[in-house]
Amino acid sequence: MNPALWKLFLDAAETGSLSKVALLHGTSQPHVSRQIAELEQRCGGRLFERTGRGVALTAFGQRIAPKVRVWLRSTEQLENDVRATAGQTMGRVRLGTIPSLAHPFVSTLFARLRQQHPLVQLSVREGQGAQLETWLDDGSLDLALLFRHGQPNGSDALSLAEAQTYLVGPEGDAVTAKPTVKFRALDGLPLVAFCRPSSWRDQLEQVARQRGVQLNVVLEADSLALQLGIASQGGAYALLGSYAIDVARSQHRFQAARLVDPPIVRHIALALARTGPLSPATRAVMQESLALAQEMSLDPARAAPGVTAAGRSKASSRG
């Protein structure tokens, strides 16, 4: 059980390319191919299918990949734990994040870790909620910043803040002209929404069915920049959290009104991986994330609900 070989296996599984793995490890593609072949021989089965575009995991490879991730993480952590007993917190923490929290939250978190825990290395992946949940389940991530619909109970996720939902439209738009807009105003309104699978879409549609409201999704897009661009141009309305809106103020000209009757509330949560114990490095990232969330006031009640074309908050909408 050579950890270096299994690292090559996981890198090849993630990139889908032996040449990219060779560049990553500073070696040649034939050398990587021979090592993968050696690993397959030891395992007694093929780990990859060779395709025209690169490599893809076989069913056998897909089955063992989560176990290999857990084993490698525990192997790396053994060394880190030994060193941590000398008073040093170190190790790699794989953090997933929704796009709206990538900057400035994660970038500021990185700066704090460099100061407080310089031997902790962050590996950040960006994705939507369903994808992040999958990565937590299969052990690809240690932590993830995402939205949860219910209050996190602390067992598998910690609550950072509550996030209200806003209807975003173009500058001068009549529907979003006031600080708030009732949910029934969404009936038939052209909307841009996140692609499925999406628990966010499921929640909105459940409320819509209860209220007799027909949601008219005319475009699906996981990109926040695209959603805000479409909404600011009047192509369709977007339903977003205040933090996403706050980040986009300097880039787009739009209006936003808080959704009420009923309000749609989500929780910004720091979710934990389902497998393996928490390392000292992971705990350090958790502690710094909680402290940073309080300092940055993620609470949308302070985050300027209404946004005008110039990206400035409407004075009438400040609480």
Side-chain angles (χ1 to χ4, degrees):
M1 297 294 287
N2 186 339
L5 286 179
W6 287 109
K7 287 179 181 178
L8 287 179
F9 163 72
L10 291 180
D11 287 339
E14 184 169 333
T15 63
S17 168
L18 298 187
S19 59
K20 290 182 179 179
V21 174
L23 287 174
L24 183 64
H25 289 266
T27 185
S28 65
Q29 189 271 338
H31 178 67
V32 173
S33 183
R34 286 194 299 271
Q35 289 185 303
I36 293 295
E38 177 185 346
L39 192 59
E40 289 179 325
Q41 184 177 7
R42 292 183 180 182
C43 291
R46 295 185 64 84
L47 297 171
F48 293 98
E49 296 288 353
R50 275 62 174 177
T51 69
R53 295 183 178 181
V55 294
L57 285 173
T58 62
F60 175 51
Q62 291 175 357
R63 183 175 181 180
I64 68 173
K67 299 179 181 179
V68 173
R69 290 191 183 97
V70 173
W71 174 71
L72 275 181
R73 187 164 70 248
S74 64
T75 302
E76 293 172 354
Q77 194 55 48
L78 176 60
E79 179 181 357
N80 293 334
D81 287 344
V82 171
R83 294 182 180 179
T85 60
Q88 298 184 86
T89 301
M90 61 180 64
R92 183 168 70 103
V93 178
R94 300 161 304 166
L95 175 67
T97 180
I98 53 177
S100 60
L101 290 176
H103 180 76
F105 187 85
V106 175
S107 53
T108 306
L109 175 63
F110 166 73
R112 287 176 65 110
L113 289 170
R114 292 292 291 171
Q115 291 182 342
Q116 303 296 329
H117 304 282
L119 297 181
V120 172
Q121 179 187 5
L122 271 188
S123 177
V124 181
R125 300 181 71 177
E126 192 174 295
Q128 296 301 327
Q131 188 175 34
L132 295 177
E133 296 282 9
T134 298
W135 288 339
L136 287 171
D137 285 335
D138 68 17
S140 297
L141 293 178
D142 301 306
L143 299 169
L145 292 160
L146 41 69
F147 285 117
R148 288 281 176 85
H149 303 306
Q151 175 73 39
N153 58 21
S155 61
D156 67 341
L158 304 175
S159 179
L160 300 183
E162 289 186 355
Q164 298 283 343
T165 300
Y166 294 81
L167 182 66
V168 182
E171 177 186 8
D173 173 60
V175 179
T176 57
K178 296 181 178 180
T180 62
V181 58
K182 293 185 177 181
F183 189 92
R184 67 169 177 265
L186 302 183
D187 192 31
L189 210 63
L191 300 174
V192 52
F194 291 106
C195 301
R196 294 188 180 280
S198 169
S199 58
W200 173 225
R201 287 274 300 273
D202 294 341
Q203 182 188 19
L204 288 172
E205 291 182 356
Q206 180 181 1
V207 175
R209 286 193 297 270
Q210 293 171 348
R211 299 281 170 149
V213 171
Q214 183 67 40
L215 297 183
N216 178 26
V217 177
V218 297
L219 175 66
E220 292 184 334
D222 281 341
S223 167
L224 282 175
L226 179 57
Q227 286 201 24
L228 283 161
I230 294 292
S232 64
Q233 294 171 9
Y237 292 87
L239 290 165
L240 300 172
S242 59
Y243 200 71
I245 294 170
D246 191 54
V247 170
R249 287 178 186 172
S250 62
Q251 300 174 341
H252 299 280
R253 300 172 67 86
F254 56 84
Q255 290 179 174
R258 182 166 56 89
L259 210 59
V260 296
D261 193 25
I264 306 298
V265 180
R266 292 179 291 172
H267 298 268
I268 300 175
L270 182 63
L272 318 180
R274 279 53 157 178
T275 57
L278 295 178
S279 69
T282 300
R283 293 185 184 278
V285 173
M286 291 172 58
Q287 292 170 359
E288 295 297 339
S289 297
L290 291 170
L292 182 59
Q294 293 180 348
E295 293 176 14
M296 293 186 69
S297 299
L298 292 185
D299 186 347
R302 301 182 181 181
V307 180
T308 65
R312 295 185 299 271
S313 303
K314 294 181 181 179
S316 62
S317 67
R318 287 188 180 272

